[in-house]
Amino acid sequence: MKGVGAVPSPFDCYLALRGLKTLHIRMEAASRNALAIAKFLEGHEAVEKVIYPGLKSHPEYEIAKKQQHGWGAMITFYCVGSRKQSSLILENMKVFALAESLGAIESLAECPSLMTHASVPDDQRALLGIDDTLIRLSVGIESCKDLVEDLKHALQIALQSVNDEKER
């Protein structure tokens, strides 16, 4: 055990086993929500591009359809505008929580250029495809209607900001 690292306590093991019993149900709910949200985002004028394997527009859709059981709960999208608009989206979401560590049962959001990759120089981020408008969502099991409304509100504020900038 010394060469491998920490050993979980019996209680930690119990919690892990308990969580595994409902994992499939939670993943089905999160995946169902994510597909609905990805479709919503794909049709919104404040969104330039959506990356989600459950969308037919995804380049690997056919492969994912054959290999996966569900589409997963992670969505990447690019908003219109700049860093200002991605910040506005994150600031104005109330159901989605701001987080760098994604993958919980609650819905989480992050903008890598402002958070996880903020210390990476702009030119390096550009090589990685991480620009200031990229937002990642980890969709949870909350009400899908609440999640879509939350995004709709935040995206509308960002879109209004873009329109205001054009009028100046």
Side-chain angles (χ1 to χ4, degrees), residues 14-80:
Y14 160 76
L15 290 175
L17 286 172
R18 184 178 73 168
L20 283 174
K21 292 178 183 177
T22 60
L23 178 62
H24 67 287
I25 296 168
R26 290 181 279 126
M27 284 306 304
E28 287 171 5
S31 183
R32 188 172 46 250
N33 282 351
L35 179 59
I37 289 167
K39 287 179 179 178
F40 161 75
L41 290 170
E42 195 169 48
H44 199 284
E45 62 183 322
V47 176
E48 287 187 6
K49 180 181 179 181
V50 179
I51 303 170
Y52 183 70
L55 294 175
K56 291 182 180 175
S57 61
H58 191 281
E60 306 299 332
Y61 171 79
E62 289 299 327
I63 293 172
K65 190 171 147 182
K66 291 176 188 173
Q67 293 181 347
Q68 296 175 207
H69 300 285
W71 305 111
M74 299 299 300
I75 301 170
T76 299
F77 74 95
Y78 293 84
C79 67
V80 297

Side-chain angles (χ1 to χ4, degrees), residues 98-115:
L98 196 59
E100 289 188 356
S101 176
L102 307 175
I105 62 166
E106 62 272 356
S107 294
L108 307 170
E110 73 132 348
C111 177
S113 72
L114 299 172
M115 299 167 69

Side-chain angles (χ1 to χ4, degrees), residues 86-99:
S86 56
S87 291
L88 282 170
I89 291 168
L90 295 178
E91 290 168 9
N92 286 285
M93 289 192 294
K94 304 298 181 215
V95 179
F96 282 85
L98 196 59

